[in-house]
Amino acid sequence: MNIIETNLSFGSMSVRSKTTRIILHHAAAKSCGAATIHQWHLNNGWSGIGYHFVVRKNGTIERGRPEKYVGAHAEGSNSDSIGICFEGDFMTEKMTDTQKNAGKELVAYLKKKYSISKVQKHSDVCSTDCPGKNFPFSEIANVSASASTSSSSSSSSSSSNSDKLTVDGWWGPKTTRRLQQIFGTTVDGVVSNQFSCYKAQNPGLDSGWEWESNPSGYSPLIKAIQKKVGATQDGHIGPKTIKAIQKWLGCTQDGCFSGPSPCIKKLQQWCNNQAA
Ligand SMILES: [Zn+2]
């Protein structure tokens, strides 16, 4: 499964302290993506798109509000839930298999990631038609967590400390989680507050990265890694930090993590050699 990063800019949000359920919605609009919904929700005076994911009709999964923040999608039920919106109006439309399968894949992934099984319709918690009478709720909601396929680009199982990383050269949530365990920072699989200008140069930095044009914070994990490799400790990954990591690992120092990157492979091997 591949989550498309959308790099939207948000107002202030609070971090969600627990995740116990998934709530499903439809957009009630025939054609819209995360960026369009983001604009609608900004126009409501909200901090930005209230859903964490948007499943498009073509099967693309787009990131909405960063996963760790409290959403704005189901009044009274936001503090412990992840909100997924499906493009379309399922009061009148029928969902295609392509979109349904993408939704099932995302729900399986989230069930596995958070070790949860509860999935609800928006109408289960609020007085609303959402997600529409034609929405294939049980098919999507009842997917098993074990159906989650760990593709190289976005595997995300809640790995125990002893789990070995797949050495695939992509730095996604699973590699981040393992590094967070090793470096003793919060284990959430997300590298937050990074400069979006460094993303394009580093295709090996996969999903699970938060890119912002002008981040107000930094990543404690990147800062800890910078300390380890002797780079300036500002908590932002850029060519200098990548060069320092490459030097530390004995790789070619080009300041870029290609995808798949031989140097990220070495980093993953290093992780696998650390004590559990
Ligand atoms: Zn809804």
Side-chain angles (χ1 to χ4, degrees):
M1 188 185 66
N2 192 24
I3 297 166
I4 306 298
E5 300 298 337
T6 43
N7 300 320
L8 303 168
S9 299
F10 289 83
S12 68
M13 298 177 288
S14 44
V15 173
R16 194 176 55 255
S17 59
K18 57 182 174 174
T19 304
T20 66
R21 52 183 164 154
I22 299 163
I23 298 178
L24 306 182
H25 304 261
H26 73 152
K30 290 193 170 154
S31 174
C32 58
T36 304
I37 299 171
H38 186 61
Q39 196 54 54
W40 295 344
H41 289 181
L42 285 172
N43 294 346
N44 288 348
W46 302 352
S47 296
I49 184 170
Y51 310 110
H52 298 96
F53 298 96
V54 178
V55 179
R56 304 293 304 264
K57 288 181 172 175
N58 66 6
T60 302
I61 299 168
E62 295 177 341
R63 189 177 301 283
R65 183 170 297 214
E67 215 173 305
K68 68 178 178 181
Y69 292 114
V70 175
H73 57 91
E75 198 176 354
S77 300
N78 290 312
S79 64
D80 65 346
S81 68
I82 289 197
I84 304 175
C85 181
F86 289 73
E87 180 186 22
D89 181 343
F90 299 105
M91 287 303 282
T92 56
E93 295 178 80
K94 287 253 167 53
M95 192 179 289
T96 62
D97 284 344
T98 304
Q99 186 177 20
K100 193 176 5 181
N101 289 337
K104 286 165 74 172
E105 203 177 356
L106 177 60
V107 168
Y109 160 84
L110 293 169
K111 281 184 173 180
K112 187 173 175 185
K113 178 170 184 176
Y114 293 97
S115 301
I116 57 176
S117 57
K118 190 172 180 181
V119 182
Q120 294 176 301
K121 302 190 280 285
H122 189 186
S123 56
D124 291 334
V125 298
C126 296
S127 175
T128 170
D129 285 336
C130 179
K133 62 181 168 56
N134 298 333
F135 189 90
F137 176 74
S138 55
E139 268 185 90
I140 295 173
N142 294 336
V143 67
S144 150
S146 60
S148 177
T149 51
S150 319
S151 76
S152 62
S153 58
S154 60
S155 55
S156 69
S157 65
S158 48
S159 56
S160 76
N161 283 4
S162 59
D163 278 356
K164 296 292 186 201
L165 285 175
T166 305
V167 178
D168 61 7
W170 294 94
W171 186 341
K174 203 167 179 181
T175 300
T176 296
R177 291 182 80 90
R178 187 71 187 103
L179 287 164
Q180 287 169 329
Q181 287 164 355
I182 293 167
F183 284 94
T185 58
T186 304
V187 179
D188 61 2
V190 178
V191 181
S192 48
N193 296 302
Q194 297 302 303
F195 283 104
S196 51
C197 55
Y198 296 136
K199 185 190 178 189
Q201 306 175 29
N202 290 289
L205 304 179
D206 204 30
S207 62
W209 290 74
E210 283 180 13
W211 302 103
E212 299 173 44
S213 54
N214 204 2
S216 53
Y218 66 89
S219 159
L221 172 64
I222 297 298
K223 196 169 177 181
I225 292 173
Q226 286 169 329
K227 186 175 182 188
K228 179 89 179 171
V229 303
T232 306
Q233 293 171 46
D234 64 0
H236 293 122
I237 201 157
K240 282 184 185 166
T241 297
I242 290 173
K243 274 187 188 173
I245 295 170
Q246 288 171 328
K247 184 177 179 188
W248 173 64
L249 291 166
C251 309
T252 308
Q253 294 169 47
D254 61 0
C256 176
F257 282 141
S258 59
S261 158
C263 196
I264 292 176
K265 283 186 183 175
K266 278 203 171 180
L267 181 67
Q268 290 166 328
Q269 277 159 356
W270 177 83
C271 287
N272 287 343
N273 289 333
Q274 300 308 298

